[in-house]
Amino acid sequence: MKTFRADPDHFGIRARLLTLLLPGILGLLILDSWNDYRALRTLVQDAYDQSMLESVNALRNSLALAQDGSFQLNAPSFMAPTATDAGSPQHKHLYVGLAPHQTAGGGTAARQTLLGDADLPAPPEPAAPASSTGSASQVWYDSRYQGQPVRVVAIQSQVVDGRGQTFDLLIQAAESSGQRDMAQATSSEHALLRDARMVLVVVLLVWLGVNWSLRPLERLRKSVLQSKGHDLKPLDTIDVPHEVAPLVDAINQYVANYRDLLDQQSRFLADASHQLRTPLAIMLTQAGFALREKDPEQQRATLRAIVTQISRSRRLCEQLLSLAHASDHSPPADAPELTDLNTVAKDVVLQYLTLAHEKDQDLGWIDARDGTPSLSEDPAAPVVPVLARGPELHEALANLVHNAIVYTPSGGHITVMVSTQDGMASAEVCDDGPGIAKAQRAAVFERFHHTGSSPGKGAHGAGLGLAIARAYARRNGGDIALADASLAADTAGTAHGATGLRAILRLPLVSGPQS
């Protein structure tokens, strides 16, 4: 028994589906997680920046004029610890400073600190001066302060005191980035855990889905393995995915065809063994009788009978081989060729002339060119061209002629003729034997079917001739039909009375030139 093993270099359906689905799903989840990370980072930055900006705006709005016309800062009480305590949990630092406004080329004036740490990192580029009193310019930048990374916002504007003097106001807010980094890391960790759970769930669902989808195929595999010997049953198509249903239907069709072939072979072997058993039993009896017989003449008679049985058994074996070959449905090794049906029929007649003369029968032949001059314009061209295998056509016609000789009485007439009509080529074998009733004509093409006895004789043959002839005819695109010989044209000169049989081999006629 041949065992088929999976090729390790080729993926199975499960591996292919998982290889195709999982990388795509993981890639989408990674891309989605990266987008979520960027969006979360932006959201955290905006939230903390907005808080810093609110502090700066609150300080800017708390700047007021004192009674003497100078500036005073009425900072909210909750800002005072933040502005002076660098160790606060939020690590926030504030600065408010005033400097007399200097015109272009006037140098740099000393800045007065109103609140906070004057040593906060200056902007990498000086803030653009305000275009008018009351307006402000804003700058965001990252720097380091007291050894820690900080996020800084600086707002510069112009203000006028009670005496009409213009000052440059600078407000800075710096916040350690550790707090926002921690918040972002915590949120990212939660998002990563959520995505990891999602990946695991998706992988599990894909795995379960693939296994569930392939379960019918596993059930089909077990069903095929459970089929033993000739117990070939169609595969169960219940719950089979519709994508696989055509394959299962094709397998069921193949199983049905194979089961029919096995049944035909079994019937053929049973019928063949039955047909061979009788002549072997007869020859065994005759051989035993010859061994006991003392009279030489009786011994020779017995030996002649044995020779006759051997001859019949030999023909039966030849017919069995021909039937097996004709019934083979596999594509033939040789392709059909352009064959002259007229020549094949003539050769068959010449082959059986001696056998017909032994039975005192008139075996005649009517050439297709008789009465049809157009068929003989080119002597080298086929008279009745058909596309077929010559040896198989010869065997089919030989069986028809042999049947006619066996069943036609001594002194009878048998005529073989070839003709063309309506694009079909016909080879007819007409005899004036007992004929076959119309009700039995379909059954005589079955194997080992006997129509009865020939005149004055016992049953002849094994009942394979017509089955072989039809099998060969159909292998070459034709068929065989039976009719009364009385229906044949009188020009054949063979129909005498209402008895007889006409066996007609029909094939498609080749009308055009063939390469």
Side-chain angles (χ1 to χ4, degrees):
M1 178 180 180
K2 186 177 181 181
T3 302
F4 294 93
R5 301 182 182 273
D7 188 348
D9 295 334
H10 292 80
F11 287 156
I13 296 179
R14 180 184 289 106
R16 292 189 181 192
L17 290 177
L18 293 177
T19 303
L20 181 65
L21 293 176
L22 292 183
I25 293 175
L26 292 176
L28 290 176
L29 289 176
I30 292 174
L31 180 62
D32 185 63
S33 299
W34 173 249
N35 291 332
D36 290 345
Y37 170 78
R38 295 178 60 186
L40 180 62
R41 179 181 177 85
T42 302
L43 181 63
V44 171
Q45 291 284 5
D46 291 344
Y48 277 85
D49 288 351
Q50 183 65 30
S51 176
M52 292 174 60
L53 189 60
E54 289 176 355
S55 299
V56 172
N57 289 330
L59 287 173
R60 185 168 180 263
N61 294 330
S62 66
L63 185 66
L65 294 174
Q67 292 181 354
D68 59 358
S70 63
F71 288 103
Q72 66 178 6
L73 187 65
N74 301 322
S77 60
F78 68 88
M79 289 187 180
T82 305
T84 59
D85 187 6
S88 63
Q90 294 186 358
H91 303 286
K92 184 180 293 185
H93 311 275
L94 299 176
Y95 171 74
V96 180
L98 280 175
H101 179 69
Q102 299 291 328
T103 59
T108 303
R111 189 180 301 276
Q112 177 186 0
T113 300
L114 299 181
L115 177 68
D117 304 312
D119 58 345
L120 285 179
E125 295 181 1
S131 59
S132 61
T133 302
S135 61
S137 59
Q138 176 180 312
V139 178
W140 291 90
Y141 56 96
D142 295 320
S143 185
R144 296 188 67 84
Y145 181 65
Q146 296 180 353
Q148 294 182 350
V150 291
R151 173 78 167 167
V152 186
V153 59
I155 294 180
Q156 181 173 317
S157 62
Q158 293 180 0
V159 292
V160 180
D161 64 0
R163 293 185 291 271
Q165 187 177 358
T166 302
F167 291 85
D168 292 327
L169 174 64
L170 176 63
I171 302 177
Q172 288 179 290
E175 186 178 68
S176 174
S177 58
Q179 189 74 15
R180 64 178 66 194
D181 290 342
M182 183 181 300
Q184 182 176 346
T186 302
S187 300
S188 299
E189 181 179 355
H190 292 165
L192 184 61
L193 291 176
R194 182 188 69 245
D195 292 342
R197 290 193 299 268
M198 182 179 298
V199 168
L200 292 178
V201 171
V202 170
V203 170
L204 179 62
L205 290 178
V206 170
W207 179 268
L208 294 177
V210 170
N211 287 339
W212 177 68
S213 300
L214 296 180
R215 188 176 300 171
L217 298 182
E218 180 66 20
R219 181 170 51 81
L220 288 176
R221 185 184 70 87
K222 294 180 179 179
S223 176
V224 172
L225 294 178
Q226 291 173 356
S227 299
K228 301 295 183 180
H230 294 276
D231 186 21
L232 298 177
K233 298 179 181 179
L235 300 179
D236 188 5
T237 58
I238 297 177
D239 297 332
V240 172
H242 66 88
E243 294 86 357
V244 186
L247 175 61
V248 177
D249 293 338
I251 294 176
N252 287 337
Q253 182 64 38
Y254 175 79
V255 169
N257 294 338
Y258 185 68
R259 186 173 59 246
D260 292 341
L261 179 61
L262 292 179
D263 293 340
Q264 291 177 8
Q265 291 178 346
S266 299
R267 290 194 303 269
F268 179 80
L269 292 175
D271 293 340
S273 61
H274 175 73
Q275 292 295 326
L276 290 173
R277 186 185 302 114
T278 300
L280 290 175
I282 294 174
M283 285 188 288
L284 182 61
T285 302
Q286 291 172 337
F289 179 78
L291 289 175
R292 295 190 302 270
E293 183 61 49
K294 303 298 183 180
D295 185 2
E297 290 297 329
Q298 289 295 332
Q299 287 183 345
R300 283 194 293 271
T302 303
L303 291 176
R304 283 193 294 270
I306 293 176
V307 170
T308 301
Q309 288 295 335
I310 292 176
S311 178
R312 291 179 179 176
S313 300
R314 177 184 177 183
R315 174 165 176 79
L316 176 60
C317 292
E318 291 174 350
Q319 285 188 309
L320 289 173
L321 292 175
S322 297
L323 183 60
H325 179 264
S327 302
D328 187 5
H329 297 289
S330 60
D334 55 333
E337 298 178 349
L338 189 63
T339 304
D340 188 359
L341 183 60
N342 190 66
T343 301
V344 173
K346 180 180 178 180
D347 292 341
V348 171
V349 171
L350 294 175
Q351 176 185 349
Y352 280 93
L353 275 178
T354 303
L355 182 59
H357 289 166
E358 290 179 358
K359 293 192 63 176
D360 194 22
Q361 294 170 339
D362 182 10
L363 177 58
W365 156 251
I366 299 179
D367 195 286
R369 288 169 290 194
D370 292 352
T372 314
S374 60
L375 293 176
S376 59
E377 292 178 356
D378 185 1
V383 179
V384 182
V386 294
L387 197 61
R389 299 169 187 85
E392 296 182 359
L393 289 188
H394 186 282
E395 186 69 19
L397 281 175
N399 278 276
L400 296 181
V401 173
H402 185 272
N403 273 5
I405 293 175
V406 169
Y407 286 95
T408 300
S410 178
H413 298 77
I414 303 171
T415 302
V416 180
M417 61 180 298
V418 179
S419 61
T420 60
Q421 185 178 6
D422 298 331
M424 297 295 292
S426 300
E428 301 181 12
V429 180
C430 301
D431 63 67
D432 53 3
I436 300 176
K438 292 183 179 180
Q440 298 181 357
R441 288 175 183 170
V444 296
F445 289 102
E446 297 178 1
R447 298 172 177 178
F448 305 105
H449 181 86
H450 296 276
T451 60
S453 302
S454 60
K457 300 281 184 180
H460 283 265
L464 294 175
L466 290 177
I468 295 173
R470 168 166 280 184
Y472 274 130
R474 289 182 173 177
R475 273 171 61 93
N476 290 276
D479 203 352
I480 293 178
L482 300 179
D484 294 329
S486 59
L487 297 179
D490 292 337
T491 55
T494 59
H496 300 282
T499 60
L501 182 69
R502 185 164 61 115
I504 310 168
L505 168 63
R506 290 192 177 94
L507 294 166
L509 184 66
V510 176
S511 57
Q514 300 294 315
S515 58

